[in-house]
Amino acid sequence: MPLKELQQLAGLSGRVSRILIESKPGAHAAVRHELLALAGGRMTVSAADQDVQLLHEALRPSNQASALFAGLSALLGFLFAFNAMLLTAPERRETIADLRLEGMARHQLVQMTLFQAFSLGIAASLVGLGGGYLLSLGVFDQSPGYLTRAFTLGTGNVIGALPVVLALGGGLVASCLASIVPLTDLRAGRPIDAALSDTQGGDGTTGVANRLLLTGTVLLLVIATTLFLLLPSAAIIACVALAVATMLAVPLVLEMVLRAARALTLRKSGMTVLLLALTTLRATSVRALALAATGAVALFGSVALGSSRDDLLRGINGYTANYVSGARIWVVNPADNQAINDFAPDDYTSRVASVPGVASVREFQGSFLDYGNRRVWVIAWPNSTPPTLLNSQIVSGNTARAAASLQQSGFITISDQIASEHRAGVGDTISLPTPTGTVAFRVAATTTNFGWSPGAILMSTSDYTRAWGSSAPSALGVDVKPGESISAVRDAIARALASKGGLEVLTASARERTIDHSASEGLGQLAEIATLLVIAAILAMAAALGSSLWQKRAQLAEMRLEGAPRRQLRLMLLTESALMLAAGCLTGAVAGVYGQIIIDGYLKHVTGFPVASASTGVRPIEIFVAVIAVVLAIVAIPGWRASRVPATLALND
């Protein structure tokens, strides 16, 4: 709306929040110099697009976390595509053998196979891009609402070219790499009809291969651990190393699972179904390993992401509980969770103080401050209120000493990442660009960012009033007399302020809920990525298992000829699938717990978020059981159909 109408509506005649200036051609530097002199350190002089840079900084921590798990999702998607192509390997090997017997040259077979891979990769990747675009419009169509108090945000979706190119290229590379498997029969010295003479499932791992896998797994674990301990900012690289180590460990874990099952059959002679399943799995196929590795990476990503998000939310919730404990009832502007918009000069405090049941009223202040490349949250608490929001939020310094220092003039606490940028530690002096000019403060302690990703500064209201040149409160904290009902006093305050309008009266618990809800908005995509990982893994593994079971019909027909009942075949297929799934999902769940610890360290030391101590609870177990149960339930249908194969099918060859 027009400026004058807004000033009149807000009761702030003549007030502005910013001035936009266009310089004449060639006079930009001179105009900037004169403006800096005119501002005298009391106002910010910056480029017109400064908000964009500040927003990038504010979004960086959550974007880094999202990028980490988007990368893990891409790795999983690569495995999905690779595994889907491996499903066709046995039939394609037989086709290649037939064509070689008919005289087709090697280079012709290579051209044919790569053309198939390219065509399938293009078609499938285009379908995937379309599905991803629909997801971006629906499930992932979020605006980080917790930032709208500090920035003007649009609602449109922007999809960059890089994700599209990477997704399309990843699908093509996976398709082409998987096509190399049937082409291995073309190497010199390999019989022309090798695929036709091989027994089913002859792609086993050797002792040498297992030793190489173990060496690679240990090496990657050492790399991930070293990065975690020495360079927390390299969490993305550490998690990728851990994800690859998880995949390499799958054959080893599967072998241990099979050995344990084999030992069980030796103890229990009546477990014929388990013995049959072990017989069919005596040589671990590449397809089975790819299937188990897919489950491992999916469980790894879901457990690590979901558990880290829970730790972060618990840390934010803990801070919020301490923040709102500064008063029993709060009077704030609507939806102003951070109390950064002050009240127009009026008698709000005296009106609230006169309400029956009110013991005391304290004025809190706050605002945003552009400091370097960050839009920092400034929190000012009165000296009479203990700064309980410091509890468990101190990074460097002592909580009690910091609280005592804030009672004195000229002390602040500052988020650790801001202190690091300005090379300031506890006891050092740091200068802030305030509305009254540059003011020096001493650092009483460094803290987390209190859930505001650019960082936060805590000071006393007396220092804030002097440095900002304003005594207008942005929140009122109300204490209630002993024995009085908090809800009744809250209603009475709301009635007393009804004629003024525009202010919201909340109990401490109600304000805590609204702040927690706002803080969780910025982490919503992490939960959705974790859920999407599990759903995609379930569908991919179910499709792969279903196709694998259908391709075993000839083998099942032979067993039917030998007298095996259908019920026994169904139990055998179910047991075989459960063994493969258990090996992959167990590996991923265990690695996910380690990934959670790495991500927690990254969030705490790099982004500055308040993160609670790692606590997985039953999440890994829940995801492990849920994935196996759902996949087995889905593949029960193709397993049941495969078990009904007629015995005469074994005579067709």
Side-chain angles (χ1 to χ4, degrees):
M1 63 174 65
L3 177 61
K4 289 186 178 181
E5 292 184 21
L6 179 59
Q7 290 170 335
Q8 182 179 4
L9 182 65
L12 298 172
S13 179
R15 293 285 295 275
V16 297
S17 56
R18 68 176 62 194
I19 302 172
L20 299 178
I21 300 167
E22 183 176 359
S23 60
K24 294 180 179 179
H28 178 78
V31 169
R32 179 178 175 81
H33 177 76
E34 293 293 336
L35 289 173
L36 287 171
L38 180 64
R42 294 175 290 106
M43 291 181 288
T44 300
V45 178
S46 64
D49 62 352
Q50 184 199 25
D51 270 17
V52 177
Q53 304 303 321
L54 295 172
L55 180 59
H56 280 308
E57 186 64 35
L59 287 171
R60 187 161 60 94
S62 57
N63 283 348
Q64 287 172 331
S66 297
L68 170 62
F69 290 98
L72 291 176
S73 301
L75 180 61
L76 182 60
F78 184 87
L79 282 176
F80 289 166
F82 188 80
N83 181 59
M85 289 296 293
L86 283 182
L87 291 174
T88 67
E91 291 79 6
R92 297 174 77 188
R93 289 183 63 204
E94 293 177 3
T95 301
I96 288 175
D98 289 335
L99 293 174
R100 290 188 71 188
L101 289 172
E102 294 175 6
M104 183 173 285
R106 283 189 174 90
H107 71 275
Q108 293 175 311
L109 291 171
V110 172
Q111 291 176 4
M112 178 194 73
T113 303
L114 292 180
F115 176 76
Q116 291 174 343
F118 188 82
S119 300
L120 288 172
I122 283 286
S125 297
L126 288 176
V127 173
L129 287 174
Y133 177 70
L134 293 177
L135 282 174
S136 72
L137 297 179
V139 176
F140 291 100
D141 184 20
Q142 296 185 31
S143 178
Y146 70 102
L147 293 174
T148 56
R149 305 299 298 185
F151 299 96
T152 302
L153 303 178
T155 58
N157 257 321
V158 179
I159 300 177
L162 183 60
V164 175
V165 172
L166 289 177
L168 186 61
L172 289 174
V173 171
S175 179
C176 293
L177 283 179
S179 297
I180 294 176
V181 174
L183 291 179
T184 56
D185 287 336
L186 299 181
R187 64 183 185 269
R190 185 77 169 164
I192 293 179
D193 60 346
L196 302 176
S197 60
D198 278 354
T199 58
Q200 192 172 17
D203 297 313
T205 55
T206 64
V208 175
N210 284 338
R211 286 192 293 273
L212 290 175
L213 289 173
L214 178 60
T215 302
T217 301
V218 172
L219 180 61
L220 288 170
L221 286 176
V222 170
I223 292 174
T225 304
T226 303
L227 290 173
F228 167 62
L229 295 176
L230 302 181
L231 194 63
S233 60
I236 294 180
I237 301 175
C239 282
V240 170
L242 191 55
V244 177
T246 302
M247 292 187 292
L248 295 182
V250 166
L252 306 175
V253 176
L254 181 57
E255 184 176 342
M256 288 190 291
V257 170
L258 296 181
R259 285 184 179 180
R262 192 173 296 111
L264 186 61
T265 59
L266 294 177
R267 286 177 171 270
K268 305 288 184 179
S269 57
M271 305 184 71
T272 55
V273 173
L274 181 58
L275 185 61
L276 281 173
L278 291 174
T279 302
T280 59
L281 286 173
R282 64 184 181 275
T284 305
S285 67
V286 173
R287 181 164 52 199
L289 288 176
L291 175 65
T294 300
V297 175
L299 266 290
F300 165 75
S302 184
V303 169
L305 172 60
S307 299
S308 295
R309 178 179 178 272
D310 290 345
D311 293 342
L312 179 53
L313 284 177
R314 285 192 299 111
I316 293 176
N317 292 345
Y319 151 73
T320 304
N322 289 323
Y323 177 75
V324 301
S325 66
R328 307 297 295 275
I329 298 174
W330 290 87
V331 180
V332 293
N333 282 296
D336 190 6
N337 294 329
Q338 294 166 296
I340 48 88
N341 293 324
D342 53 24
F343 307 156
D346 215 323
D347 57 347
Y348 293 110
T349 302
S350 58
R351 277 174 172 264
V352 173
S354 63
V355 172
V358 172
S360 64
V361 182
R362 283 157 291 145
E363 296 183 345
F364 295 76
Q365 293 177 284
S367 61
F368 287 125
L369 172 68
D370 290 349
Y371 185 39
N373 292 324
R374 298 174 180 270
R375 181 153 289 168
V376 179
W377 178 21
V378 180
I379 309 168
W381 275 30
N383 294 341
S384 58
T385 303
T388 52
L389 71 169
L390 289 179
N391 295 343
S392 72
Q393 304 300 309
I394 297 293
V395 176
S396 299
N398 178 273
T399 303
R401 281 197 292 269
S405 296
L406 289 175
Q407 305 295 318
Q408 306 173 30
S409 177
F411 280 89
I412 62 172
T413 69
I414 190 168
S415 293
D416 189 62
Q417 70 268 36
I418 302 177
S420 298
E421 283 185 2
H422 295 271
R423 300 180 180 178
V426 177
D428 292 340
T429 300
I430 193 167
S431 298
L432 300 181
T434 73
T436 61
T438 302
V439 179
F441 292 92
R442 290 189 65 187
V443 178
T446 64
T447 66
T448 69
N449 60 20
F450 296 153
W452 178 250
S453 55
I457 296 173
L458 174 64
M459 64 177 62
S460 67
T461 50
S462 57
D463 282 340
Y464 184 93
T465 299
R466 185 180 68 257
W468 265 253
S470 171
S471 59
S474 58
L476 299 180
V478 182
D479 282 337
V480 179
K481 293 179 180 179
E484 296 288 343
S485 169
I486 294 178
S487 59
V489 175
R490 187 209 71 83
D491 293 341
I493 294 173
R495 288 193 297 269
L497 298 178
S499 61
K500 296 293 183 180
L503 294 182
E504 191 172 29
V505 184
L506 300 170
T507 63
S509 57
R511 191 172 186 220
E512 180 180 357
R513 287 193 296 271
T514 59
I515 295 175
D516 287 341
H517 175 73
S518 176
S520 64
E521 284 184 352
L523 305 173
Q525 284 191 346
L526 301 187
E528 290 161 0
I529 292 175
T531 303
L532 195 62
L533 273 174
V534 176
I535 294 175
I538 288 174
L539 295 177
M541 288 188 290
L545 269 175
S547 177
S548 177
L549 295 177
W550 188 254
Q551 291 170 358
K552 286 188 174 183
R553 289 186 306 151
Q555 181 184 3
L556 296 176
E558 293 178 4
M559 299 176 70
R560 292 267 291 141
L561 278 178
E562 296 171 0
R566 290 174 177 171
R567 179 177 176 275
Q568 190 178 47
L569 294 182
R570 287 195 288 269
L571 289 175
M572 182 201 72
L573 293 175
L574 186 65
T575 304
E576 182 181 334
S577 300
L579 288 173
M580 285 190 294
L581 288 172
C585 293
L586 178 63
T587 307
V590 173
V593 175
Y594 191 19
Q596 172 196 358
I597 297 173
I598 292 177
I599 298 167
D600 280 359
Y602 173 81
L603 293 173
K604 183 181 297 184
H605 298 293
V606 178
T607 67
F609 279 116
V611 182
S613 58
S615 175
T616 56
V618 296
R619 172 180 288 276
I621 299 175
E622 289 176 345
I623 297 177
F624 175 82
V625 173
V627 169
I628 292 181
V630 173
V631 172
L632 291 180
I634 294 175
V635 301
I637 298 176
W640 177 81
R641 293 186 60 189
S643 67
R644 296 177 60 84
V645 62
T648 54
L649 182 65
L651 305 175
N652 288 350
D653 287 344

